[in-house]
Amino acid sequence: MTNYKLIKTRITTILEEAKKGLSDADYKEALSLIEHNEFGVALELVCDQLFEHNAKISQSLYQDIILIATEMELDGKRWRTLQGLIRA
């Protein structure tokens, strides 16, 4: 059985780490999606917007995204595109 509370906590942590790379509107939309248990859609939004804005991310944020996406059995192609955003 999936632990939704744990997933919610982890997705919220990812959102907070990614906040500086998101517009206020995107941040609020992702937060609303999380509050309504739309975790996959929220993660997709965050990743798409980070990529679209060419936002620099940490290696740990990238790894957290990949880990949760894999655990949620989401398509890996979307998440792997973020690898080029990792700051040195």
Side-chain angles (χ1 to χ4, degrees), residues 14 17 57-66 86-87:
I14 287 170
E17 288 184 48
I57 62 173
S58 67
Q59 178 70 38
S60 65
L61 177 57
Y62 176 74
Q63 290 174 333
D64 289 345
I65 290 170
I66 295 297
I86 298 171
R87 63 178 175 252

mmCIF file of all heavy atoms in Angstrom, residues 14 17 57-66 86-87:
data_model
loop_
_atom_site.group_PDB
_atom_site.id
_atom_site.type_symbol
_atom_site.label_atom_id
_atom_site.label_comp_id
_atom_site.label_asym_id
_atom_site.label_seq_id
_atom_site.Cartn_x
_atom_site.Cartn_y
_atom_site.Cartn_z
ATOM 1 N N ILE A 14 10.396 18.687 -2.241
ATOM 2 C CA ILE A 14 10.924 18.964 -3.583
ATOM 3 C C ILE A 14 10.439 20.328 -4.062
ATOM 4 O O ILE A 14 11.220 21.126 -4.586
ATOM 5 C CB ILE A 14 10.519 17.841 -4.566
ATOM 6 C CG1 ILE A 14 11.331 16.580 -4.271
ATOM 7 C CG2 ILE A 14 10.691 18.278 -6.022
ATOM 8 C CD1 ILE A 14 10.857 15.337 -5.001
ATOM 9 N N GLU A 17 12.354 23.087 -2.360
ATOM 10 C CA GLU A 17 13.722 23.197 -2.884
ATOM 11 C C GLU A 17 13.734 23.829 -4.274
ATOM 12 O O GLU A 17 14.689 24.512 -4.634
ATOM 13 C CB GLU A 17 14.379 21.826 -2.935
ATOM 14 C CG GLU A 17 14.749 21.274 -1.578
ATOM 15 C CD GLU A 17 15.481 19.945 -1.685
ATOM 16 O OE1 GLU A 17 16.424 19.854 -2.495
ATOM 17 O OE2 GLU A 17 15.096 19.012 -0.967
ATOM 18 N N ILE A 57 19.501 23.531 -10.751
ATOM 19 C CA ILE A 57 19.078 22.728 -9.611
ATOM 20 C C ILE A 57 20.286 21.997 -9.029
ATOM 21 O O ILE A 57 21.298 21.827 -9.700
ATOM 22 C CB ILE A 57 17.979 21.714 -9.991
ATOM 23 C CG1 ILE A 57 18.489 20.703 -11.031
ATOM 24 C CG2 ILE A 57 16.729 22.436 -10.494
ATOM 25 C CD1 ILE A 57 17.526 19.567 -11.329
ATOM 26 N N SER A 58 20.149 21.568 -7.803
ATOM 27 C CA SER A 58 21.227 20.826 -7.153
ATOM 28 C C SER A 58 21.161 19.355 -7.550
ATOM 29 O O SER A 58 20.114 18.844 -7.970
ATOM 30 C CB SER A 58 21.116 20.946 -5.634
ATOM 31 O OG SER A 58 19.957 20.274 -5.176
ATOM 32 N N GLN A 59 22.283 18.683 -7.385
ATOM 33 C CA GLN A 59 22.332 17.247 -7.636
ATOM 34 C C GLN A 59 21.355 16.517 -6.710
ATOM 35 O O GLN A 59 20.667 15.586 -7.130
ATOM 36 C CB GLN A 59 23.763 16.726 -7.421
ATOM 37 C CG GLN A 59 23.917 15.229 -7.610
ATOM 38 C CD GLN A 59 23.766 14.785 -9.056
ATOM 39 O OE1 GLN A 59 24.216 15.480 -9.960
ATOM 40 N NE2 GLN A 59 23.151 13.640 -9.277
ATOM 41 N N SER A 60 21.272 16.962 -5.466
ATOM 42 C CA SER A 60 20.380 16.286 -4.511
ATOM 43 C C SER A 60 18.916 16.471 -4.895
ATOM 44 O O SER A 60 18.122 15.535 -4.758
ATOM 45 C CB SER A 60 20.639 16.760 -3.086
ATOM 46 O OG SER A 60 20.325 18.120 -2.936
ATOM 47 N N LEU A 61 18.540 17.643 -5.400
ATOM 48 C CA LEU A 61 17.171 17.857 -5.851
ATOM 49 C C LEU A 61 16.864 16.943 -7.032
ATOM 50 O O LEU A 61 15.818 16.290 -7.073
ATOM 51 C CB LEU A 61 16.919 19.316 -6.228
ATOM 52 C CG LEU A 61 15.532 19.633 -6.789
ATOM 53 C CD1 LEU A 61 14.431 19.219 -5.826
ATOM 54 C CD2 LEU A 61 15.430 21.111 -7.140
ATOM 55 N N TYR A 62 17.785 16.859 -7.964
ATOM 56 C CA TYR A 62 17.612 15.979 -9.117
ATOM 57 C C TYR A 62 17.420 14.529 -8.656
ATOM 58 O O TYR A 62 16.510 13.838 -9.108
ATOM 59 C CB TYR A 62 18.815 16.103 -10.046
ATOM 60 C CG TYR A 62 18.774 15.147 -11.218
ATOM 61 C CD1 TYR A 62 17.910 15.371 -12.287
ATOM 62 C CD2 TYR A 62 19.589 14.022 -11.250
ATOM 63 C CE1 TYR A 62 17.862 14.491 -13.363
ATOM 64 C CE2 TYR A 62 19.552 13.139 -12.321
ATOM 65 C CZ TYR A 62 18.683 13.380 -13.365
ATOM 66 O OH TYR A 62 18.633 12.504 -14.422
ATOM 67 N N GLN A 63 18.246 14.087 -7.743
ATOM 68 C CA GLN A 63 18.146 12.712 -7.245
ATOM 69 C C GLN A 63 16.829 12.472 -6.513
ATOM 70 O O GLN A 63 16.221 11.409 -6.664
ATOM 71 C CB GLN A 63 19.335 12.390 -6.343
ATOM 72 C CG GLN A 63 20.629 12.275 -7.114
ATOM 73 C CD GLN A 63 21.851 12.111 -6.227
ATOM 74 O OE1 GLN A 63 21.866 12.544 -5.083
ATOM 75 N NE2 GLN A 63 22.877 11.483 -6.767
ATOM 76 N N ASP A 64 16.376 13.459 -5.750
ATOM 77 C CA ASP A 64 15.096 13.327 -5.052
ATOM 78 C C ASP A 64 13.945 13.201 -6.048
ATOM 79 O O ASP A 64 13.035 12.394 -5.850
ATOM 80 C CB ASP A 64 14.847 14.527 -4.136
ATOM 81 C CG ASP A 64 15.740 14.544 -2.918
ATOM 82 O OD1 ASP A 64 16.359 13.506 -2.604
ATOM 83 O OD2 ASP A 64 15.832 15.616 -2.275
ATOM 84 N N ILE A 65 13.996 13.996 -7.111
ATOM 85 C CA ILE A 65 12.956 13.940 -8.140
ATOM 86 C C ILE A 65 12.947 12.576 -8.817
ATOM 87 O O ILE A 65 11.891 11.953 -8.975
ATOM 88 C CB ILE A 65 13.148 15.073 -9.175
ATOM 89 C CG1 ILE A 65 12.835 16.425 -8.531
ATOM 90 C CG2 ILE A 65 12.277 14.826 -10.410
ATOM 91 C CD1 ILE A 65 13.222 17.625 -9.368
ATOM 92 N N ILE A 66 14.115 12.104 -9.208
ATOM 93 C CA ILE A 66 14.209 10.805 -9.877
ATOM 94 C C ILE A 66 13.710 9.686 -8.965
ATOM 95 O O ILE A 66 12.964 8.799 -9.388
ATOM 96 C CB ILE A 66 15.653 10.530 -10.342
ATOM 97 C CG1 ILE A 66 16.071 11.530 -11.427
ATOM 98 C CG2 ILE A 66 15.818 9.096 -10.829
ATOM 99 C CD1 ILE A 66 15.271 11.443 -12.697
ATOM 100 N N ILE A 86 21.562 20.626 -13.700
ATOM 101 C CA ILE A 86 22.327 20.493 -12.455
ATOM 102 C C ILE A 86 23.506 21.469 -12.472
ATOM 103 O O ILE A 86 24.288 21.497 -13.411
ATOM 104 C CB ILE A 86 22.821 19.059 -12.253
ATOM 105 C CG1 ILE A 86 21.639 18.103 -12.149
ATOM 106 C CG2 ILE A 86 23.721 18.951 -11.008
ATOM 107 C CD1 ILE A 86 22.012 16.642 -12.168
ATOM 108 N N ARG A 87 23.577 22.264 -11.415
ATOM 109 C CA ARG A 87 24.678 23.231 -11.313
ATOM 110 C C ARG A 87 25.926 22.518 -10.817
ATOM 111 O O ARG A 87 25.854 21.591 -10.012
ATOM 112 C CB ARG A 87 24.308 24.387 -10.414
ATOM 113 C CG ARG A 87 24.037 24.015 -8.988
ATOM 114 C CD ARG A 87 23.712 25.231 -8.126
ATOM 115 N NE ARG A 87 23.356 24.810 -6.799
ATOM 116 C CZ ARG A 87 22.130 24.849 -6.298
ATOM 117 N NH1 ARG A 87 21.147 25.324 -7.011
ATOM 118 N NH2 ARG A 87 21.901 24.433 -5.076
#
